[in-house]
Amino acid sequence: MPSIRVVNLKKYFGKVKAVDGVSFEVKDGEFVALLGPSGCGKTTTLLTLAGIYKPTSGEIYFDDVLVNDVPPKYREVGMVFQNYALYPHMTVFENIAFPLRARKIPKEEIEKRVVEIARKLLIDNLLERRPSQLSGGQQQRVALARALVKQPKVLLFDEPLSNLDANLRMLMRAEIKHLQQELGITSVYVTHDQAEAMTMASRIAVFNQGKLVQYGTPDEIYENPKNMFVASFIGNPPTNFLKGFSVEVEKGQTILKRDDVVLKIPKELETNLKEVVVGIRPEHCEVVHNKQENAIPGTVYVVEPLGRDIIVNVQTDRGELVKVFGDPAKIPSVGEKVFLVPHLEKIHLFNPETEETIL
Ligand code: ATP
């Protein structure tokens, strides 16, 4: 399977800079997710990899071969879309066989390959049905089978699970990951769902406004977000940001102050900044009832039960709403005065101007 290398890719539509100087590589057999909000250039990047769009500038290599001018049908890519794009008047068998018929492959070989891939995707009992007689999940499997039957060298996914309900999405997420690992096909997967990217991909490319903001493993991106955008996009609920903390650096520690709050970070920070933004993940903070060191006062605003966890929403004295995971055995009452105690070794600090991470 080929590796993919994208070098300074730009794709402009008139004045719209859909993709604006993006570089990354995907290793042979790797599963990479392109993650970002709507309109950030993920799909455009994917369609350029497929050869459907021609880059405005930049290079795309499959292995070390420049493919900028290679038409889609010679790139040996399989694509799976959100809307399945199945032919309604054809049976499942015919839908899966379609790309093979177009290549004039002998009938027996087509039959063998369609049945084989249908078995792998657990849809071999549906081959005589039409798409309208299938559930959304089954239709998505057919679309996947049709992409795989060509034995592509690269698989490109564009939000393939967006139309499925939450349960089915989780099920298919695991199945696609399993299948990709089994087949070892180099894969690029576009999604705006951070949970999908985190759970499926070995590396994630986080996009924003046509640019690649950060590229790394799910752990790297979660543990060391490059800026506030990445810190807020990865994790659910997202990172809480508390603004307006002044900074004093002492030997061995950094002291952050705001109103009556003092947070003593056990690390010396090199900075000229007078003020920083504090980022606290919902899983890195306790809600307590007694005033103590490193505590931020607030009032319980609402509690959201999730079964195994609860999310406690605490409003700080400055009016920010902070979401924190809590213990379902100790549900606080709305209106109760509480204190937020962040795990200081886990918090991040950001430059309020550039929004870049400084700790
Ligand atoms: P979504 O998740 O909503 O699909 P995306 O990250 O995939 O978003 P793109 O579809 O790549 O984003 O679009 C990036 C930008 O380029 C958007 O501003 C979009 O409006 C614009 N764009 C995309 N395709 C075209 C086109 N064919 N003509 C003009 N503008 C386009």
Side-chain angles (χ1 to χ4, degrees):
M1 298 298 166
S3 56
I4 300 172
R5 193 152 54 91
V6 175
V7 184
N8 202 13
L9 178 68
K10 294 184 183 171
K11 178 65 186 171
Y12 297 170
F13 298 103
K15 283 192 181 145
V16 179
K17 296 179 174 180
V19 180
D20 194 17
V22 162
S23 302
F24 63 97
E25 35 69 50
V26 184
K27 289 184 206 144
D28 174 10
E30 197 181 2
F31 192 128
V32 162
L34 310 185
L35 173 70
S38 185
C40 68
K42 312 176 294 285
T43 299
T44 305
T45 303
L46 199 77
L47 293 177
T48 316
L49 290 179
I52 295 166
Y53 288 153
K54 215 172 146 42
T56 303
S57 65
E59 293 102 49
I60 296 173
Y61 298 90
F62 283 7
D63 281 333
D64 285 325
V65 180
L66 184 68
V67 296
N68 282 34
D69 295 321
V70 177
K73 65 176 173 177
Y74 297 117
R75 292 198 189 189
E76 298 189 70
V77 300
M79 286 204 73
V80 187
F81 298 97
Q82 174 179 349
N83 59 9
Y84 322 131
L86 300 177
Y87 300 109
H89 58 285
M90 291 186 190
T91 62
V92 167
F93 182 95
E94 289 161 350
N95 263 286
I96 301 175
F98 189 80
L100 300 182
R101 290 210 206 289
R103 292 173 175 200
K104 306 208 166 38
I105 289 171
K107 210 167 153 241
E108 302 75 45
E109 170 76 12
I110 292 181
E111 172 114 15
K112 185 168 151 274
R113 276 165 65 174
V114 171
V115 171
E116 201 173 82
I117 196 70
R119 273 204 196 117
K120 209 178 249 325
L121 283 156
L122 309 175
I123 49 172
D124 48 324
N125 57 335
L126 305 174
L127 289 172
E128 296 314 314
R129 293 207 200 164
R130 288 182 199 281
S132 60
Q133 298 166 313
L134 303 176
S135 69
Q138 290 166 337
Q139 290 186 45
Q140 192 50 278
R141 280 171 207 265
V142 176
L144 193 52
R146 190 180 53 185
L148 286 169
V149 81
K150 294 187 286 184
Q151 299 170 341
K153 295 203 167 129
V154 172
L155 261 181
L156 303 175
F157 297 89
D158 193 1
E159 309 245 10
L161 308 182
S162 298
N163 285 348
L164 305 180
D165 66 44
N167 281 339
L168 204 51
R169 223 163 40 221
M170 280 240 264
L171 194 85
M172 287 298 287
R173 188 163 101 183
E175 294 218 1
I176 291 178
K177 182 171 177 173
H178 176 84
L179 197 70
Q180 194 276 339
Q181 285 175 347
E182 185 180 296
L183 301 174
I185 302 184
T186 310
S187 300
V188 181
Y189 188 103
V190 162
T191 180
H192 62 266
D193 180 342
Q194 59 92 30
E196 239 169 67
M198 291 288 278
T199 53
M200 298 174 84
S202 58
R203 280 192 293 175
I204 301 174
V206 184
F207 277 63
N208 192 24
Q209 297 182 340
K211 304 220 187 263
L212 200 167
V213 185
Q214 190 169 4
Y215 190 38
T217 65
D219 274 357
E220 281 164 4
I221 287 181
Y222 174 84
E223 298 287 343
N224 298 307
K226 195 165 174 287
N227 57 23
M228 288 173 70
F229 172 79
V230 178
S232 66
F233 208 79
I234 302 280
N236 185 29
T239 300
N240 301 287
F241 296 114
L242 304 184
K243 294 183 180 159
F245 277 84
S246 67
V247 195
E248 286 166 30
V249 181
E250 279 184 7
K251 200 159 174 42
Q253 63 177 7
T254 304
I255 300 170
L256 307 176
K257 287 185 186 165
R258 188 179 86 168
D259 307 327
D260 295 337
V261 179
V262 181
L263 302 178
K264 292 182 183 162
I265 316 266
K267 198 171 177 185
E268 258 178 74
L269 182 65
E270 269 183 43
T271 181
N272 298 322
L273 292 171
K274 295 270 172 289
E275 237 181 58
V276 292
V277 177
V278 175
I280 307 170
R281 288 202 183 274
E283 54 275 37
H284 297 153
C285 190
E286 309 298 322
V287 179
V288 301
H289 289 91
N290 303 320
K291 192 169 174 96
Q292 51 182 269
E293 265 219 315
N294 299 313
I296 304 164
T299 309
V300 177
Y301 182 79
V302 76
V303 177
E304 301 169 83
L306 290 172
R308 209 190 65 168
D309 296 304
I310 55 171
I311 300 173
V312 186
N313 292 248
V314 176
Q315 192 160 37
T316 66
D317 293 350
R318 288 231 184 166
E320 301 132 322
L321 212 52
V322 176
K323 285 181 185 281
V324 175
F325 281 111
D327 181 352
K330 296 184 216 153
I331 299 182
S333 316
V334 171
E336 216 175 316
K337 295 280 177 203
V338 290
F339 295 89
L340 296 165
V341 183
H343 304 176
L344 295 179
E345 71 292 353
K346 296 273 192 189
I347 68 174
H348 287 293
L349 303 182
F350 304 94
N351 180 326
E353 298 293 322
T354 62
E355 303 198 343
E356 296 290 311
T357 307
I358 55 170
L359 180 73

